[in-house]
Amino acid sequence: NNNNNNNNDDLIINDNEPEYMKRLKVLKVVKDSKAKPAIVNTTYDAVDLVFLVDCTTTMQRWIDEVRVRITTSVNDLKRKLKAKFRLGFIGYRDHGPNEINPEVYEQKMDNTTSYFTENINIFTAFLQNIKADGGNGDMCEDVIGGLNKCTELDWKSKTKIVFHICDDPAHGERYHDFFNDINKEQESLTSLIGVPRDTARAIFDEGDARFLYIFDHNIFEDTTERRLQGLNQYIQQAKDAFDVFPNGYKNDVDHCDIFKYFKKHSIQYYIGKKTDRVNKMIKVFKKDAEIIGNYIETRELVNVSELFVNVANACSNAITLVKKGIEHRKKVMKVARQRLMKKYTPKDFDVCVGIDFGTDGTGFSYVLNKKGAEPYVEQTWCYSTQASLKTRTTIILKPEGNGYKAIGFGTLKRKEYFKTYPSQYNDSISSDDDREFGNEPMLFEKFKMALYSKDNITPEGPDDDISNNTDNKDDIKD
């Protein structure tokens, strides 16, 4: 009828609109003109997903994992997340001995004008030609060069993700602690410079490089100056084995400039951490990114089989964040606080505790209820000298009587578990070799979301002034 024609504008519903606006438009048209409900645009979310990968010798299994499992994993993500993926790959190695730029895989897919492709066959064929090789003989790699290449890609989709798989840090002491032990050794060896040669020979084993560098000279050249020169040569060689560019590679850009670009273009950066060698680099990255207003998330990659579980989790988080946005989450937090304060006032508490029980990691903080009190946040979790705000959300249960008893929680217990029961990580090892069937402890992780359902959680409704603007009940359950 004429009313329907006059209200066609009300039927235009965009994917970018908040969900409550879509519903209000439909209800308004139905109520005012008795028209049929509008058909909401159900096109898939578009996702640009780039794998940033260290392509030096130790990484072949991870490159193969991406190539072999990408088809199944992306199809699964399409189905679960209702998303279409454009895939890209940036690989980096290291600077050569003559400071030649490392080979960075930057070819455009299928000889097109794009670094991305929606065709999984093209992507896997591209990876088929990439071999893990090289490195400059030291531990550090051209991480900054690889990250900087990500700023040159033709990003288009609303959700943009860089998933970085790495096991070694960038060049520069600011990113690693490799020299700590070497510096301590230098102090110790310096104290021996003046000892007689025979005494030094008794201290060091035969053939020890330290003796050869410092004391093994012609008797007429065995001076304090010559010994110091030998010591410096030994220390420099030791440091070069870890990082030949301790001040950073001369052509590296500041990582803060890269993170500013990521923030400006809404690129979400996830680091898949293979080893603890990258802990300091991650700490530096996170601290500087947070100052800029960008946030970096870390995923533990202890075993290659965990790769796509973490990629799927990162994609889900990224899509949700783009859809709902930070401001939306702030509204949800406001609702939660209002619900709490309906029952209590600040005077009812001696201490306030916050617990982040996450799918991947768990952390906590607390603050005493007195003026000027500073919040305390756990940093080390009793197992590491590296700062870490979270421990792994892992629980270990052991059979006891007719049930099970919790015997461990967190990263440390997880490492102990897989050290004790290696067959849990390596299918080639028979489980009979290391445990008795039926009596072994069981490890659970990635389990948190199974605790939530619409049937067993019925939160109180939010205040009216917020419930009119957001779908708060669902958000609190999620």
Side-chain angles (χ1 to χ4, degrees), residues 36 78 103 108 113-114 119-120 158 178 183 192 201 216 238 248 282 291-292 329 348 390 427 456:
K36 293 182 179 181
K78 284 181 179 179
E103 180 179 6
K108 294 180 171 64
T113 58
S114 176
N119 189 319
I120 298 178
K158 181 178 292 187
F178 291 155
N183 291 335
L192 299 176
R201 188 183 297 277
D216 194 20
I282 291 174
I291 293 173
I292 293 169
R329 290 190 177 186
D348 295 323
K390 291 187 177 183
D427 293 337
N456 60 22

Side-chain angles (χ1 to χ4, degrees), residues 232-400:
N232 291 333
Q233 290 175 346
Y234 168 77
I235 293 298
Q236 186 60 54
Q237 186 178 56
K239 288 185 175 182
D240 285 349
F242 288 97
D243 188 358
V244 296
F245 302 112
N247 297 319
Y249 184 63
K250 63 181 181 180
N251 293 332
D252 277 349
V253 301
D254 191 326
H255 64 257
C256 290
D257 292 335
I258 298 173
F259 297 153
K260 288 176 183 178
Y261 179 92
F262 282 8
K263 176 176 171 56
K264 179 179 179 181
H265 296 275
S266 302
I267 299 171
Q268 300 186 54
Y269 179 33
Y270 293 81
I271 301 177
K273 187 186 85 168
K274 277 190 60 196
T275 69
D276 289 340
R277 295 193 296 270
V278 296
N279 282 351
K280 184 176 181 180
M281 180 183 76
I282 291 174
K283 181 181 177 182
V284 171
F285 280 2
K286 284 188 172 184
K287 180 180 178 181
D288 289 346
E290 189 170 348
I291 293 173
I292 293 169
N294 205 353
Y295 298 92
I296 297 171
E297 293 198 39
T298 307
R299 296 290 184 270
E300 296 276 352
L301 299 179
V302 180
N303 187 274
V304 69
S305 63
E306 295 183 341
L307 174 58
F308 274 97
V309 174
N310 285 283
V311 171
N313 180 266
C315 290
S316 177
N317 286 351
I319 292 172
T320 300
L321 185 60
V322 168
K323 279 186 173 181
K324 296 187 175 181
I326 295 176
E327 292 303 317
H328 181 82
R329 290 190 177 186
K330 287 181 179 178
K331 291 181 180 179
V332 175
M333 293 298 294
K334 181 179 179 181
V335 171
R337 287 195 298 270
Q338 289 177 341
R339 288 173 51 204
L340 179 67
M341 301 318 294
K342 282 180 180 179
K343 295 183 178 180
Y344 305 101
T345 66
K347 293 181 181 179
D348 295 323
F349 302 100
D350 293 321
V351 60
C352 293
V353 179
I355 299 176
D356 179 5
F357 181 57
T359 302
D360 293 291
T362 294
F364 74 90
S365 63
Y366 65 83
V367 63
L368 299 178
N369 190 9
K370 62 181 182 181
K371 187 175 181 180
E374 293 291 330
Y376 171 83
V377 180
E378 179 58 67
Q379 293 281 340
T380 63
W381 285 98
C382 303
Y383 66 86
S384 173
T385 57
Q386 298 288 342
S388 177
L389 297 180
K390 291 187 177 183
T391 191
R392 192 73 174 254
T393 304
T394 300
I395 189 169
I396 301 172
L397 305 180
K398 182 178 181 180
E400 184 172 283

Side-chain angles (χ1 to χ4, degrees), residues 20 331 334-335 338-339 342 460-473:
Y20 74 91
K331 291 181 180 179
K334 181 179 179 181
V335 171
Q338 289 177 341
R339 288 173 51 204
K342 282 180 180 179
E460 298 173 18
D463 287 354
D464 292 339
D465 62 328
I466 296 181
S467 62
N468 290 332
N469 294 318
T470 65
D471 224 357
N472 288 299
K473 290 184 179 180

Side-chain angles (χ1 to χ4, degrees), residues 164-183:
H164 185 184
I165 306 172
C166 61
D167 63 353
D168 283 306
H171 285 287
E173 284 190 79
R174 66 187 299 195
Y175 300 119
H176 60 75
D177 293 321
F178 291 155
F179 294 166
N180 286 1
D181 290 339
I182 298 175
N183 291 335

